[in-house]
Amino acid sequence: MRLSRFFLPILKENPKEAEIVSHRLMLRAGMLRQEAAGIYAWLPLRFRVLKKIEQIVREEQDRSGALELLMPTLQLADLWRESGRYDAYGPEMLRISDRHKRELLYGPTNEEMITEIFRAYVKSYRSLPLNLYHIQWKFRDEQRPRFGVMRGREFLMKDAYSFDLDEAGARRAYNKMFVAYLRTFARMGLKAIPMRAETGPIGGDLSHEFIVLAETGESGVYCDRRVLDLPIPAEDVDYDGDLTPIIKQWTSVYAATEDVHDAARFEQEVSAEHRVHTRGIEVGQIFYFGTKYSDAMKAMVAGPDGAEVPIHGGSYGVGVSRLVGAIIEACHDEAGIKWPEAVAPFTAVILNLKQGADDTDAACEKLYRELSARGVDVLYDDTDQRAGAKFAAADLIGIPWQIMVGPKGLAEGKVEIKRRSDGMRETLSPADTIARLAGA
């Protein structure tokens, strides 16, 4: 992509309305525009990041055995009355009526709808276990939307819903999602700690929030520092095998949100030098809620003896759009964003330091063509801005690799590359640069 043809409305000044780093940097880097309180337009740079995050989530859900579908954003109010949650959910639910006076709502979550779909088609235990997920926009009418995408009203979520014959099967499904979440966030370059948490309006008695430690987070958290060093399950983890050892390893180290924090246990189990009390950003949450929805909505299957029994369920959410902000909160410096390569909008940016000069133009064009042909997602800054402005913009938008092409270096057959994450610089030939980045 040529920057001269890309829509990137960078701001020179810090926006006054932005309270936290991620919101400020997204506005400055031309990634989003507020259309209403807590509702944003996703501009091209940010949208590219969102799609990368979404794809990682999808790949790890598929690897765990979950099946993707897509449910609508609008739901019938009667489904929520059936479960008993319509009046209990509160003013965050956006309630509307269509032209025929049917009562609808803009879905804040999908337990009722997926249970209705399940009970319409699944009648026997032989169809179990089953885990269905979708990635869909949701709406919660927050009273005070703030912090940009961290606490917006409209947001993109991944929701998975498991169905099992009994509690033992449901807990196996829960463990699969626990492991899948560990892998998902690690692939994005995040340390997301699973912490015991309240179940809230979802219900049930077992839940973990996956928290990225950050002072700007809304959740107060307590944990043992050693949880940060635990190993992430490998790509070839056997989801059909016994995942209990992995779960025990992660849950035996103290980690809890402030809602369920046990101060006495914390002091007893965690030595003073390892105690962490800070804030964090919730990027995902998993729940086991037993037969809460199947009892209320009569979602029954025939068991092995032919008798009908209610299914045991769980739900598993990932804040896909929130992750854009969480990653920036975890990966930035004073100059701007430092995207992990897996979610970066582009892998590399070519900076032509003397636009219009025959030698630099030709070298940049060749690099652009050959990197693109090798599958490297590259942005070419072919604008006529000064070199300093190009450096500042490249640091601000956070592309992992910068390739600086200037007449002095080319005279020696070299270009300079810079790794945004740590500032490492190296002088290479154009051919070696292509080999380095194509193999990165």
Side-chain angles (χ1 to χ4, degrees):
M1 176 62 65
R2 298 174 188 274
L3 185 56
S4 61
R5 300 176 188 173
F6 194 65
F7 184 55
L8 187 64
I10 287 177
L11 302 179
K12 293 183 179 179
E13 303 294 331
N14 283 326
K16 295 180 180 179
E17 69 270 26
E19 299 177 66
I20 61 173
V21 169
S22 60
H23 191 195
R24 181 171 70 248
L25 288 177
M26 277 190 274
L27 288 170
R28 283 201 57 214
M31 297 179 71
L32 82 167
R33 177 178 173 79
Q34 180 171 305
E35 299 300 328
I39 300 174
Y40 297 92
W42 290 69
L43 303 185
L45 192 74
R46 183 170 171 230
F47 189 65
R48 291 175 72 92
V49 175
L50 184 73
K51 300 307 287 185
K52 296 279 186 73
I53 292 171
E54 181 181 329
Q55 186 57 28
I56 290 173
V57 171
R58 177 175 288 112
E59 289 171 5
E60 293 303 328
Q61 290 294 290
D62 292 348
R63 182 175 283 119
S64 74
L67 302 171
E68 187 173 11
L69 48 65
L70 183 62
M71 290 177 276
T73 57
L74 295 180
Q75 304 181 32
L76 289 171
D78 286 345
L79 277 179
W80 284 66
R81 290 195 176 97
E82 195 175 342
S83 73
R85 287 208 300 172
Y86 185 72
D87 294 319
Y89 202 88
E92 288 77 22
M93 181 187 290
L94 182 62
R95 296 163 169 86
I96 55 181
S97 298
D98 66 13
R99 68 173 65 193
H100 301 292
K101 308 303 180 185
R102 285 186 291 253
E103 293 179 276
L104 303 168
L105 57 98
Y106 195 129
T109 184
N110 282 75
E111 282 81 8
E112 284 79 4
M113 181 172 285
I114 197 68
T115 301
E116 191 272 338
I117 291 171
F118 175 87
R119 72 183 179 184
Y121 297 107
V122 180
K123 306 299 181 184
S124 169
Y125 76 97
R126 292 186 176 86
S127 299
L128 303 178
L130 184 64
N131 192 328
L132 302 172
Y133 79 95
H134 76 158
I135 300 173
Q136 180 60 290
W137 290 95
K138 300 185 181 301
F139 189 91
R140 294 175 189 167
D141 198 5
E142 295 277 356
Q143 184 175 8
R144 289 187 65 231
R146 56 196 300 229
F147 299 155
V149 300
M150 304 298 286
R151 191 175 177 181
R153 293 195 293 164
E154 185 183 50
F155 51 93
L156 187 64
M157 284 281 293
K158 186 282 303 182
D159 298 291
Y161 302 93
S162 63
F163 300 90
D164 287 273
L165 181 64
D166 53 26
E167 181 176 342
R171 288 182 180 269
R172 284 192 293 271
Y174 187 96
N175 290 349
K176 287 184 179 183
M177 288 294 100
F178 191 108
V179 171
Y181 277 32
L182 290 174
R183 286 194 41 75
T184 296
F185 300 125
R187 284 185 59 187
M188 298 175 193
L190 292 175
K191 289 274 189 179
I193 304 170
M195 299 192 176
R196 292 182 296 109
E198 285 279 11
T199 57
I202 301 297
D205 60 1
L206 175 62
S207 178
H208 284 86
E209 287 184 8
F210 286 75
I211 301 284
V212 176
L213 301 184
E215 289 294 337
T216 51
E218 290 193 307
S219 302
V221 298
Y222 298 80
C223 69
D224 185 327
R225 191 180 307 278
R226 289 168 292 189
V227 74
L228 295 167
D229 299 323
L230 291 177
I232 301 298
E235 183 176 338
D236 61 355
V237 61
D238 182 8
Y239 280 102
D240 293 322
D242 183 10
L243 300 175
T244 306
I246 298 174
I247 308 303
K248 283 185 175 180
Q249 183 181 34
W250 280 86
T251 56
S252 63
V253 181
Y254 191 96
T257 64
E258 60 187 353
D259 294 331
V260 297
H261 172 57
D262 184 334
R265 180 185 164 194
F266 187 55
E267 292 187 8
Q268 180 181 359
E269 294 184 6
V270 185
S271 58
E273 68 269 23
H274 292 129
R275 291 175 197 156
V276 175
H277 175 208
T278 184
R279 306 198 68 76
I281 301 167
E282 178 199 341
V283 291
Q285 188 166 8
I286 59 178
F287 305 84
Y288 163 63
F289 46 68
T291 60
K292 173 180 177 177
Y293 296 94
S294 54
D295 285 339
M297 300 180 68
K298 304 296 188 294
M300 316 285 281
V301 296
D305 61 358
E308 286 197 333
V309 294
I311 58 92
H312 286 248
S315 69
Y316 317 92
V318 169
V320 178
S321 54
R322 172 179 278 208
L323 274 162
V324 180
I327 292 169
I328 295 174
E329 290 291 331
C331 306
H332 71 273
D333 60 16
E334 293 183 356
I337 304 166
K338 299 196 291 187
W339 293 114
E341 288 193 34
V343 298
F346 299 93
T347 300
V349 56
I350 300 171
L351 306 179
N352 189 337
L353 303 186
K354 194 171 183 182
Q355 190 70 36
D358 291 343
D359 53 351
T360 57
D361 285 1
C364 288
E365 289 289 344
K366 186 176 181 182
L367 279 167
Y368 179 58
R369 289 194 307 270
E370 294 189 10
L371 283 169
S372 299
R374 295 282 295 273
V376 178
D377 208 358
V378 60
L379 178 67
Y380 172 24
D381 187 345
D382 59 345
T383 65
D384 58 4
Q385 293 190 84
R386 293 178 295 103
K390 292 189 177 187
F391 295 149
D395 281 347
L396 174 62
I397 65 177
I399 309 304
W401 292 95
Q402 299 173 15
I403 308 170
M404 291 159 278
V405 182
K408 290 183 179 179
L410 284 180
E412 300 175 359
K414 303 289 185 179
V415 298
E416 186 177 18
I417 65 170
K418 172 185 169 183
R419 187 165 58 200
R420 179 69 179 96
S421 62
D422 60 6
M424 183 279 295
R425 293 173 179 264
E426 192 172 357
T427 301
L428 299 172
S429 68
D432 287 342
T433 297
I434 293 168
R436 169 74 63 84
L437 296 182

